[in-house]
Amino acid sequence: MASQGFSVYVGNAPYQTSEDEIGSFFSNVGHVTNVRIVCDRETGRPRGFAFVEFADEAGAQRAVNELNGADFNGRQLRVNLASR
DNA sequence: GATGAGCGG
């Protein structure tokens, strides 16, 4: 089961991080097609996590295997397969 | 001018 797409959940990221920074960081393990930082719709504040979309599933899983727990801007990055 | 949950429209 688990028909998860090529989206990867990125958590524990610094609030001052931009999509370009994340895209460049995840582009090292695969081809990033889109990067989306999740913000609260009601308050407009960043929730502290983002989503990275890959062109291939291999890149997504590679990101989880390589960038999960990696040090990003002084914070340990959390990478996992997205549920959506 | 400020936050820490963790899955977005």
Side-chain angles (χ1 to χ4, degrees):
Chain A
M1 35 279 233
S3 302
Q4 284 152 312
F6 314 127
S7 303
V8 181
Y9 165 78
V10 184
N12 200 38
Y15 294 114
Q16 55 186 18
T17 307
S18 304
E19 299 177 342
D20 183 74
E21 298 295 317
I22 300 178
S24 180
F25 191 79
F26 279 78
S27 186
N28 292 286
V29 292
H31 194 253
V32 180
T33 56
N34 194 340
V35 181
R36 185 198 343 270
I37 296 181
V38 180
C39 303
D40 197 296
R41 184 185 66 92
E42 326 242 351
T43 61
R45 294 177 184 164
R47 269 187 159 178
F49 65 97
F51 286 95
V52 180
E53 193 170 349
F54 283 85
D56 294 285
E57 189 180 44
Q61 292 189 60
R62 190 174 302 158
V64 178
N65 286 278
E66 297 297 316
L67 303 180
N68 185 25
D71 185 79
F72 188 73
N73 284 6
R75 300 257 153 106
Q76 196 172 63
L77 221 59
R78 294 191 182 182
V79 184
N80 261 295
L81 296 177
S83 311
R84 292 186 164 177

